[in-house]
Amino acid sequence: MTQATITDSASDTLRAAAERMWRQQTGSLLVSEGGRLAGIITERDVLRAVALGADPERSTVDEAMTTELFTVPPDMPLHEAAREMAARWIRHLPVVQDGELLGVISMRDITGIFAALTPAGVTVEHEFDQLVRERRLARIEHGDLD
């Protein structure tokens, strides 16, 4: 599970949402309204909306976000969460306990864990992954968009 990136405004434009996802190096934003989880917008949602003719400068997050969320508790076994993601064709799964958002499980999280469990002895080091993300964020802050 990773920390969720949250936007407090469903009225943000699709462009603003895409910019925030890019800056944060995340594939989704959870949408909060009044402290309550109201939806999720993913990079796929943005792509779909634009492909169907939405203007990223005028169209808003609430027009493209998913509001019927499937969430999981923090004690759900990882293989069950992965099975739910596969069955529902979703790549980002909010983790919620007693109405409180704790984080998000992404396909990247799951593939990293399963890769570490393979008999071939592949290891995944969280510190390395965090270092890669921090370097990406630093490049973006300095305008290096490659």
Side-chain angles (χ1 to χ4, degrees):
M1 173 174 73
T2 55
Q3 183 177 357
T5 303
I6 301 173
T7 182
D8 291 326
S9 179
S11 63
D12 285 346
T13 65
L14 292 181
R15 179 183 173 94
E19 287 175 352
R20 186 162 190 183
M21 282 187 254
W22 175 252
R23 280 193 316 271
Q24 296 295 314
Q25 288 294 284
T26 186
S28 66
L29 296 173
L30 293 173
V31 181
S32 173
E33 290 179 352
R36 184 184 66 80
L37 184 59
I40 186 171
I41 186 158
T42 67
E43 56 198 354
R44 282 183 166 181
D45 293 329
V46 174
L47 286 172
R48 181 185 64 238
V50 171
L52 294 174
D55 179 352
E57 298 290 341
R58 291 183 180 29
S59 298
T60 58
V61 167
D62 64 345
E63 295 171 12
M65 72 182 189
T66 300
T67 57
E68 293 182 25
L69 296 176
F70 180 76
T71 64
V72 296
D75 59 351
M76 176 180 268
L78 187 60
H79 72 277
E80 288 181 25
R83 185 178 304 127
E84 290 292 344
M85 291 172 80
R88 297 168 188 275
W89 285 76
I90 56 177
R91 298 187 304 168
H92 305 90
L93 188 56
V95 179
V96 176
Q97 183 173 29
D98 300 326
E100 180 184 351
L101 176 66
L102 302 178
V104 175
I105 298 173
S106 69
M107 288 303 294
R108 178 178 291 152
D109 297 329
I110 290 175
T111 55
I113 294 298
F114 288 148
L117 296 174
T118 63
V122 175
T123 59
V124 177
E125 297 180 26
H126 179 70
E127 294 83 19
F128 177 75
D129 189 45
Q130 187 65 27
L131 180 63
V132 169
R133 184 169 190 222
E134 287 172 8
R135 286 182 181 164
R136 280 182 167 166
L137 291 172
R139 282 198 333 247
I140 291 166
E141 288 174 12
H142 292 99
D144 184 8
L145 302 178
D146 61 358

